[in-house]
Amino acid sequence: MSTHALLVLYGSQTGTAQDTAERIGRQAQRRRMRVRVEALDSYNVANLISESLVVFVCATTGQGDPPDNMKTFWRFLFRKSLPADSLCRLDSAVLGLGDSSYPKFNFVAKKLHKRLLLLGANMLLPVGLADDQHDLGPDGVIDPWLISFWQKALSLYPPPAGLAPLREEEKLPPRYVFHFLDEVPDKQTEHLQTPDNKAPPTPLQPFPAGVVFNQRVTPPSHFQDVRHIEFDITGSNIQYSPGDVVMMRPCNAAEDVEQFCQLLKLGPERYFTLTPTDSSTAVPAHLPQPCSVRFLVEQFLDISAVPRRSFFEVLATFATNELELDKLLEFSSAQGQDGLHSYCNRPHRTALEVLADFPHTTAELSIDCLLDLFPEIQPRSFSIASSLLQHPNRIQILVAVVKYKSMLFKPRKGLCSSWLASLDPSKGDVYVPLWVKKGSLSFPQDPDTPVIMVGPGTGVAPFRSAIQERAAQGKMGDDQTYFYCRSEWEEKVQAGQMILVTAFSRDQEEKIYVQHRVKEQSKLLWDLIAKKNAFFYIAGNAKQMPASVCDALKEVFQKEGGMSENQAQEMLDAMEKAKRFQSETWS
């Protein structure tokens, strides 16, 4: 039998699939397996034919799309030229992470599992379909799936004789070793550099865009602070179209950086270099070498996120205080997930607050473990709310600042929205490293094609971009949207360029939502969709709104088109297939 080694490959958009993959990697180490954990697009896919045992962990994004860090792998794997027996020597398993409230639940994992079977791989067990909506969260599926996986894998690849598995509370070697420098390096490498070449910016080489405008657009009495923020992208070579998104990595708040350094007794101005403990592991691309502790904590470690179960697993290996160890082991176990949810997820307790709650364990932490304990801050995406035709060298976004009360004394804040809201260009130059990628919405090429847009709240952003684009081209469609950018919409209505229908849910006792307006405008909508081939778009919060709008639209088809319920569903499905019905939602 082949060597006792495992390869874990992940496709992750928000970091959850990466976290799960790394957890599987730690389980493999405890079972005395040699293991590598890599992003799918960092791995040379041509080597797959010579691997023995591989686990794929992948999320699904958008409308059933693969995450950004597995798109190259995805294109390669679905080449028609690949022989049907390419992977006949491969033992494999696929674990998907998804949310069943989305229509294409775990689409990527299901499709990957089928493709591996077609290429001859031996699938050790059925595809795992973890679901955020499960009573126990994704772990409700992941835990039993992993038990089955290890039973199969260890029967095929037994550990070396005489080596017992490591216990859960035993420390594993860190992935990196920190080497502190005696002096501050002469050349500062942490400051943003403008790319020299003419290529557009990328995640590894973002463009430092100046913040030129940052203003609240909701009145002070409104329950939410919504910001209109504008960036100067002169010299960036950035091109974008309506529907595209701008990406950026936020920074931790200065007070959190200070508290973290105090808890771990770290000097923020000290510099270090990193050495991987395994030759197959690379230093994280977003960390400069050498790097200051301040940069590491402010711009890399996600200390203000609600920690995942894996955080408690690693933390427990440092605990010497019996009470803290018992609690950390409970939170790390399958049986303790209800308690962890009550302690951490429900009140949205941050990783930094957890460290403060476990002072004895925090005092035992080694700096070498920091990159095993804390995930990297993930980039955030915002729909672009402007058109290059109307605003050359500018990107505008609408940001709803996340702030709310929980059972904890300190109000909860969204990391990126709070950071963006704090940037004040009137007090000096402020730069945000950013890049642009294609969004999930695409608008019709023909500017005469009618478009119907449903965009409650900040969901209006991509539609503002599309409307500006059409206005610049001298063509306007039909829009149904919320009242951010009120004066802009009213000007276009007065000019006869668009139809505006508003739904102010909070302005009267009986709440009126966009789905109610869809039903009220049934004749207009039926005329536009059935007779003029209009495109229909939804953007906004993924909770109830998208499903409610879809139901209202099907009612329009039934009422105005004399259709049965099944026929209305078939019409909506056909529109979706033809890209005439598109949605972009977020939770």
Side-chain angles (χ1 to χ4, degrees), residues 300-319:
F300 189 85
L301 299 179
D302 203 354
I303 61 173
S304 60
V306 175
R308 300 183 175 102
R309 175 176 165 185
S310 57
F311 177 87
F312 294 90
E313 289 175 0
V314 176
L315 201 57
T317 64
F318 287 88

Side-chain angles (χ1 to χ4, degrees), residues 80-97:
K80 289 179 180 168
S81 58
L82 294 180
D85 60 349
S86 305
L87 301 178
C88 60
R89 296 183 194 169
L90 181 68
D91 291 321
S92 186
V94 175
L95 176 59
L97 277 75

Side-chain angles (χ1 to χ4, degrees), residues 257-276:
V257 173
E258 189 179 334
Q259 186 189 357
F260 182 90
C261 290
Q262 285 175 351
L263 280 171
L264 274 80
K265 298 182 173 58
L266 295 171
E269 307 312 326
R270 292 201 66 188
Y271 276 76
F272 63 88
T273 58
L274 282 179
T275 305

Side-chain angles (χ1 to χ4, degrees), residues 16-176:
T16 308
Q18 179 179 353
D19 179 75
T20 303
E22 288 169 352
R23 182 179 161 207
I24 295 170
R26 288 193 295 273
Q27 290 186 357
Q29 284 180 283
R30 294 193 181 286
R31 287 159 177 80
R32 308 286 189 171
M33 267 190 162
R34 287 193 299 109
V35 62
R36 283 178 296 146
V37 180
E38 287 188 48
L40 276 153
D41 280 356
S42 303
Y43 174 74
N44 183 353
V45 67
N47 294 338
L48 205 54
I49 56 169
S50 55
E51 301 288 356
S52 303
L53 179 62
V54 179
V55 173
F56 297 88
V57 184
C58 45
T60 296
T61 69
Q63 309 304 307
D65 302 315
D68 290 344
N69 64 359
M70 69 176 283
K71 285 186 172 170
T72 305
F73 165 85
W74 197 247
R75 284 192 295 271
F76 180 92
L77 199 72
F78 283 89
R79 282 184 185 174
K80 289 179 180 168
S81 58
L82 294 180
D85 60 349
S86 305
L87 301 178
C88 60
R89 296 183 194 169
L90 181 68
D91 291 321
S92 186
V94 175
L95 176 59
L97 277 75
D99 185 324
S100 58
S101 68
Y102 287 83
K104 295 203 170 174
F105 170 59
N106 265 317
F107 182 77
V108 170
K110 293 170 187 172
K111 194 170 177 181
L112 175 59
H113 183 84
K114 284 180 187 170
R115 182 60 176 159
L116 292 170
L117 279 171
L118 285 173
L119 293 174
N122 171 37
M123 304 310 290
L124 298 183
L125 64 164
V127 58
L129 302 175
D131 184 5
D132 280 348
Q133 300 299 320
H134 191 287
D135 288 346
L136 298 174
D139 285 342
V141 169
I142 294 171
D143 284 348
W145 188 89
L146 282 174
I147 289 169
S148 298
F149 169 75
W150 286 119
Q151 285 170 346
K152 294 277 174 63
L154 293 173
S155 66
L156 290 171
Y157 302 88
L163 274 180
L166 294 170
R167 296 190 315 278
E168 289 297 321
E169 59 270 26
E170 287 187 65
K171 277 195 196 77
L172 293 171
R175 283 183 297 166
Y176 303 96

Side-chain angles (χ1 to χ4, degrees), residues 312 322-332 358:
F312 294 90
E322 201 171 322
L323 283 174
E324 291 188 6
L325 175 61
D326 287 348
K327 186 52 75 175
L328 291 167
L329 289 176
E330 177 196 332
F331 288 160
S332 306
F358 289 84

Side-chain angles (χ1 to χ4, degrees), residues 9 83 97 149 378 394 416 418 468 480 485 537 542:
L9 295 172
L97 277 75
F149 169 75
Q378 293 295 315
R394 292 288 191 267
C416 192
S418 300
Q468 286 187 359
Q480 175 168 339
C485 322
Y537 297 88

Side-chain angles (χ1 to χ4, degrees), residues 387-391 465-476 492 497:
S387 160
L388 269 177
L389 294 180
Q390 274 204 8
H391 301 279
S465 176
I467 289 165
Q468 286 187 359
E469 191 96 346
R470 285 202 165 195
Q473 294 166 338
K475 300 284 185 179
M476 289 301 303
K492 289 176 173 62
Q497 293 178 316

Side-chain angles (χ1 to χ4, degrees), residues 115-421:
R115 182 60 176 159
L116 292 170
L117 279 171
L118 285 173
L119 293 174
N122 171 37
M123 304 310 290
L124 298 183
L125 64 164
V127 58
L129 302 175
D131 184 5
D132 280 348
Q133 300 299 320
H134 191 287
D135 288 346
L136 298 174
D139 285 342
V141 169
I142 294 171
D143 284 348
W145 188 89
L146 282 174
I147 289 169
S148 298
F149 169 75
W150 286 119
Q151 285 170 346
K152 294 277 174 63
L154 293 173
S155 66
L156 290 171
Y157 302 88
L163 274 180
L166 294 170
R167 296 190 315 278
E168 289 297 321
E169 59 270 26
E170 287 187 65
K171 277 195 196 77
L172 293 171
R175 283 183 297 166
Y176 303 96
V177 175
F178 282 66
H179 304 279
F180 281 99
L181 308 181
D182 293 331
E183 297 175 359
V184 174
D186 293 334
K187 190 179 177 187
Q188 299 295 320
T189 56
E190 296 174 353
H191 297 299
L192 282 169
Q193 309 262 325
T194 303
D196 295 327
N197 56 25
K198 294 199 174 174
T202 64
L204 289 180
Q205 199 169 34
F207 178 78
V211 180
V212 292
F213 185 80
N214 184 352
Q215 191 169 307
R216 181 171 175 149
V217 293
T218 44
S221 58
H222 194 265
F223 76 100
Q224 187 160 48
D225 177 358
V226 176
R227 298 261 159 177
H228 173 188
I229 302 176
E230 186 169 337
F231 304 97
D232 182 356
I233 55 168
T234 304
S236 67
N237 302 301
I238 287 175
Q239 298 293 316
Y240 65 84
S241 304
D244 288 352
V245 296
V246 61
M247 308 288 295
M248 60 193 73
R249 281 191 184 82
C251 295
N252 286 308
E255 63 194 69
D256 290 346
V257 173
E258 189 179 334
Q259 186 189 357
F260 182 90
C261 290
Q262 285 175 351
L263 280 171
L264 274 80
K265 298 182 173 58
L266 295 171
E269 307 312 326
R270 292 201 66 188
Y271 276 76
F272 63 88
T273 58
L274 282 179
T275 305
T277 52
D278 186 315
S279 58
S280 66
T281 303
V283 172
H286 305 118
L287 273 186
Q289 290 265 61
C291 179
S292 69
V293 169
R294 183 179 301 282
F295 184 97
L296 174 75
V297 182
E298 181 182 81
Q299 300 191 44
F300 189 85
L301 299 179
D302 203 354
I303 61 173
S304 60
V306 175
R308 300 183 175 102
R309 175 176 165 185
S310 57
F311 177 87
F312 294 90
E313 289 175 0
V314 176
L315 201 57
T317 64
F318 287 88
T320 52
N321 177 279
E322 201 171 322
L323 283 174
E324 291 188 6
L325 175 61
D326 287 348
K327 186 52 75 175
L328 291 167
L329 289 176
E330 177 196 332
F331 288 160
S332 306
S333 69
Q335 299 75 27
Q337 291 313 291
D338 277 346
L340 178 58
H341 189 83
S342 298
Y343 166 70
C344 222
N345 300 73
R346 196 169 292 133
H348 289 256
R349 195 181 304 269
T350 68
L352 180 58
E353 289 168 330
V354 172
L355 291 187
D357 281 353
F358 289 84
H360 297 93
T361 305
T362 300
E364 299 292 329
L365 287 179
S366 152
I367 191 168
D368 291 342
C369 78
L370 290 186
L371 273 70
D372 298 301
L373 191 58
F374 294 94
E376 182 180 346
I377 294 173
Q378 293 295 315
R380 296 338 195 235
S381 61
F382 295 92
S383 294
I384 296 174
S386 54
S387 160
L388 269 177
L389 294 180
Q390 274 204 8
H391 301 279
N393 295 317
R394 292 288 191 267
I395 285 177
Q396 298 176 356
I397 59 174
L398 279 175
V399 179
V401 181
V402 177
K403 186 177 181 181
Y404 56 94
K405 290 270 177 68
S406 79
M407 59 190 282
L408 300 174
F409 173 74
K410 194 175 175 184
R412 307 292 90 189
K413 290 182 179 181
L415 175 63
C416 192
S417 61
S418 300
W419 170 67
L420 284 172

